[in-house]
Amino acid sequence: MGGHNQVRLLTVSFRAVPPELLRSALRVLLSQGSVTQKPFVQHIRDRFADAPPELVAPEVLFPTINQASPECKRYMAMTRCVFSCKLAEESLKYLIHFVDALRLAGAQWQTGSELEADLEKFGGDIVQAVQALKESRPEPTEALEGQLFKLWTSLDECRQYCQGLEPQSPAFPFARSARQVKDVFGLLFPNSDHLSSLSHSSGTPISVDLSKQGSIETFTLGPHQVPRLFNGLWQLSSPAWGSGTAEKQEAALANLVECGLIAADMADHYANAELIYGEFRNRLAPEVQKQVYAATKWCVFSPINQPVTHEFVLAAVKERCRRLGGRVELLQFHWYDYEAKEYLEILAELVKITKSHPVLVSAIGLCNFDSEHTKEVCEYLLEKQGSVGIVSNQIQFSLFDSRPLQQMSAVCQHYGLKLLTYGSFCGGFLSAKWLGQPVPEIYAEKDQLTPSQRKYFDMIRNWGTWSEFQTLLETLSSITQKYDVSLTNVATRWVLQQPAVGAVIVGTRLGVSLHGDENLKVFGFALDDDDLQRINDVALGKDREKSLSIYQTLGDCGNEYRAMH
């Protein structure tokens, strides 16, 4: 009875909670992982199964020029909810209806309008929905083939509709979507009669002026010389960071290459990042193409349930090359469970493929391996092949997460590996924007934190108090005046000057915001011993006790991705 009363009291209490606070509390619950997410997801799936959402009439969705109606915004949110609840196949009819409705309602929009921004978001939603479909590994049925082809046809008809609008044709907002649909169609139905009719124009050649490149620090990674800043494309994995059109994304990439930031990091599960980067690279002039560097990943999140053979590993490499439309300069490997030892055989085979198929892949690295198993891999390869063979490990490394200084840096130095670090900006928390600011309410609508900021806010809390965080920002800010750079530049420079670090991966919101010129300032100065001591005293602790505490709390690098601690 006591438990029943408690539930009843909580239910009554929730009715009195302000809507914004209730949304915040719900987001906190959902952020705790699968245990709390599962009942919410299942409840929504059941409701959709009992009463599928209705399709809204085109003229209701798009009643006016340049604006989406409130009903349209609700429809977009509902569609996002459907595929987010693992109903990707069921979401296809809602995607098709929305795209068709634009044409059937005679919708019109101008550059910079509210409707254009909403259509860009929906284009990102189509990408995510189709990516969710791919990752769900559906049975390739005739019905699914028909739905995917219908979605492609709707997108193609919308493209033609955009071209015919007068007086000025707006940009087709779903170019990214069409690219993703064609890719997944080919993956699920490689022998379909429809495949030949899924034409996709790769667009005109992209011109970049490499004479604009400034002074950039580089390092050797496998057979290549690369910048010490990589463009990180993980933010393409979710529309929470914003969505840009294909044209805006291409312009952003061209700007980065012109700045000299020619290396990009992506992954097999970062939505259509590989497709975007591959098409961009292949539209560059040949002399520029060969300078542009692609690092991607093969991430294994569950048992492979088959023997490790040359054919199995080579097929995984070829899939990355197919999506990139060319060679992978660095293929980084992530493995879900160290107790399942197949990863050793896979890595040995990957290293062999760099030698037997250099046209496919140049070098092999690790992703989120801890110190013990990085060492294990290196020793295994030395014993089996006479050389280490791998060149890098990608891990989190920042002023808040200095775990690599405990063991990882020394292991990498010993075996000749370079660290590629992410999270070094802490989602933007390491910037002047947060100096003197109060603690944010991470799930409140008013603060509008990105998924990265919510993640790294937890990292800050593991590291210390908000007051200590402000002390660190003040310390970094005082150093900025010495070199006339930004606070973020100082935080990045600190990581670049740590042992074994090759490059910092900078999250890039393609087509949404651009900070290439500002980030390049990190190469114009170096922190001296006094700077490093002042920063270390605050970030690591006087006797490095903060660094040790984080290590003891979270375990070694990458431990949080395996839930082993």
Side-chain angles (χ1 to χ4, degrees):
M1 287 295 292
H4 175 76
N5 286 337
Q6 186 176 20
V7 170
R8 180 175 57 81
L9 288 170
L10 278 171
T11 303
V12 172
S13 298
F14 275 135
R15 292 174 182 167
V17 175
E20 182 173 328
L21 184 56
L22 188 58
R23 284 194 295 268
S24 175
L26 182 59
R27 287 178 174 179
V28 171
L29 282 173
L30 292 174
S31 73
Q32 302 308 303
S34 60
V35 173
T36 53
Q37 290 170 3
K38 189 173 181 179
F40 285 98
V41 170
Q42 190 58 51
H43 174 72
I44 296 171
R45 286 167 61 91
D46 291 343
R47 289 295 299 272
F48 281 160
D50 293 338
E54 294 182 357
L55 300 176
V56 181
E59 63 272 16
V60 175
L61 291 174
F62 306 107
T64 59
I65 293 175
N66 287 327
Q67 285 188 322
S69 67
E71 289 80 5
C72 181
K73 293 180 184 294
R74 282 194 287 271
Y75 186 93
M76 291 170 63
M78 177 277 297
T79 305
R80 192 175 301 126
C81 189
V82 172
F83 69 75
S84 297
C85 290
K86 304 183 188 303
L87 295 171
E89 190 167 347
E90 290 82 349
S91 74
L92 292 178
K93 73 174 183 178
Y94 298 102
L95 302 176
I96 292 167
H97 177 74
F98 185 94
V99 175
D100 285 343
L102 274 173
R103 175 174 47 83
L104 295 174
Q108 295 185 44
W109 62 97
Q110 296 171 337
T111 300
S113 67
E114 176 189 336
L115 181 54
E116 183 190 56
D118 285 331
L119 295 180
E120 288 180 10
K121 290 178 183 177
F122 197 80
D125 287 342
I126 297 175
V127 169
Q128 298 302 323
V130 177
Q131 182 70 16
L133 180 69
K134 172 191 170 185
E135 293 176 0
S136 68
R137 300 172 186 258
E139 186 72 23
T141 63
E142 185 176 337
L144 177 58
E145 181 182 5
Q147 283 288 87
L148 280 174
F149 185 66
K150 191 173 181 181
L151 177 55
W152 169 267
T153 302
S154 294
L155 291 168
D156 195 47
E157 289 175 349
C158 184
R159 186 201 310 273
Q160 296 175 42
Y161 170 73
C162 291
Q163 292 171 348
L165 285 177
E166 297 292 345
Q168 183 177 357
S169 300
F172 175 53
F174 305 132
R176 289 178 58 205
S177 310
R179 186 189 293 146
Q180 177 82 322
V181 171
K182 180 181 179 181
D183 180 74
V184 175
F185 197 101
L187 183 68
L188 296 178
F189 303 100
N191 300 315
S192 172
D193 293 337
H194 292 310
L195 197 56
S196 60
S197 63
L198 269 64
S199 61
H200 171 62
S201 173
S202 59
T204 58
I206 296 174
S207 176
V208 297
D209 183 2
L210 297 184
S211 67
K212 296 181 181 180
Q213 294 183 6
S215 177
I216 292 181
E217 293 178 17
T218 63
F219 71 108
T220 301
L221 196 60
H224 299 279
Q225 199 73 13
V226 293
R228 297 195 70 201
L229 287 182
F230 276 36
N231 305 311
L233 304 186
W234 67 76
Q235 293 175 346
L236 291 170
S237 63
S238 169
W241 285 284
S243 295
T245 63
E247 292 79 10
K248 290 178 181 178
Q249 291 174 341
E250 290 159 3
L253 285 169
N255 179 275
L256 291 167
V257 170
E258 286 188 340
C259 289
L261 300 178
I262 58 171
D265 173 78
M266 62 212 85
D268 47 0
H269 61 288
Y270 293 174
N272 62 339
E274 291 172 324
L275 299 177
I276 291 170
Y277 198 72
E279 183 170 308
F280 166 77
R281 182 172 64 174
N282 287 329
R283 288 168 58 194
L284 296 170
E287 63 272 15
V288 181
Q289 275 188 40
K290 63 184 181 182
Q291 296 185 48
V292 174
Y293 185 93
T296 191
K297 304 179 187 75
W298 175 18
C299 296
V300 180
F301 297 117
S302 59
I304 58 175
N305 296 321
Q306 68 176 85
V308 177
T309 63
H310 171 77
E311 291 73 22
F312 167 69
V313 178
L314 183 60
V317 173
K318 286 182 175 179
E319 173 60 13
R320 305 278 59 76
C321 293
R322 182 187 71 81
R323 283 173 61 85
L324 272 167
R327 184 177 64 188
V328 177
E329 277 72 35
L330 175 66
L331 181 59
Q332 300 158 100
F333 182 70
H334 173 82
W335 186 254
Y336 73 105
D337 183 3
Y338 295 130
E339 293 183 4
K341 294 297 181 181
E342 296 100 323
Y343 64 89
L344 294 171
E345 300 172 65
I346 290 174
L347 282 162
E349 194 61 48
L350 284 171
V351 172
K352 289 180 184 176
I353 290 172
T354 63
K355 300 171 183 176
S356 62
H357 296 74
V359 70
L360 299 180
V361 59
S362 300
I364 304 300
L366 305 176
C367 181
N368 285 317
F369 269 65
D370 65 14
S371 305
E372 176 186 350
H373 295 93
T374 298
K375 180 178 179 181
E376 176 195 33
V377 166
C378 292
E379 288 294 332
Y380 180 85
L381 292 172
L382 278 169
E383 179 183 349
K384 293 292 183 179
Q385 301 183 1
S387 63
V388 171
I390 58 174
V391 300
S392 62
N393 187 18
Q394 183 175 145
I395 56 166
Q396 185 170 290
F397 198 168
S398 72
L399 288 162
F400 300 123
D401 186 2
S402 56
R403 287 179 292 168
L405 295 177
Q406 297 297 320
Q407 296 186 54
M408 181 61 72
S409 292
V411 169
C412 288
Q413 284 184 304
H414 179 77
Y415 290 102
L417 274 58
K418 290 295 185 182
L419 291 175
L420 306 180
T421 75
Y422 63 89
S424 301
F425 289 16
C426 295
F429 274 115
L430 284 169
S431 70
K433 172 183 175 182
W434 289 97
L435 183 60
Q437 296 300 309
V439 182
E441 170 53 63
I442 63 171
Y443 289 105
E445 294 289 336
K446 64 181 177 65
D447 286 321
Q448 296 184 329
L449 299 188
T450 67
S452 286
Q453 288 173 324
R454 292 195 288 270
K455 170 185 175 180
Y456 292 116
F457 179 78
D458 288 340
M459 196 71 232
I460 294 172
R461 297 297 292 267
N462 282 320
W463 170 82
T465 66
W466 190 257
S467 176
E468 290 175 314
F469 167 56
Q470 290 297 315
T471 299
L472 176 59
L473 292 184
E474 290 168 0
T475 302
L476 298 175
S477 182
S478 67
I479 295 172
T480 66
Q481 300 169 23
K482 180 176 177 180
Y483 299 105
D484 191 25
V485 293
S486 72
L487 191 154
T488 303
N489 291 151
V490 176
T492 308
R493 189 73 226 180
W494 181 87
V495 176
L496 286 172
Q497 291 183 215
Q498 301 308 308
V501 171
V504 167
I505 304 170
V506 181
T508 307
R509 301 171 69 182
L510 287 183
V512 179
S513 63
L514 198 62
H515 302 284
D517 290 335
E518 178 186 343
N519 293 331
L520 284 173
K521 293 180 181 177
V522 76
F523 298 132
F525 72 106
L527 298 171
D528 61 30
D529 291 343
D530 179 62
D531 300 326
L532 292 170
Q533 187 63 56
R534 289 177 61 200
I535 295 171
N536 290 347
D537 285 347
V538 181
L540 309 182
K542 292 292 184 182
D543 297 310
R544 300 208 168 192
E545 74 276 4
K546 277 189 174 295
S547 181
L548 180 59
S549 176
I550 286 287
Y551 183 84
Q552 292 172 336
T553 299
L554 299 180
D556 202 359
C557 304
N559 196 62
E560 60 272 28
Y561 292 99
R562 294 176 180 82
M564 295 175 63
H565 186 66

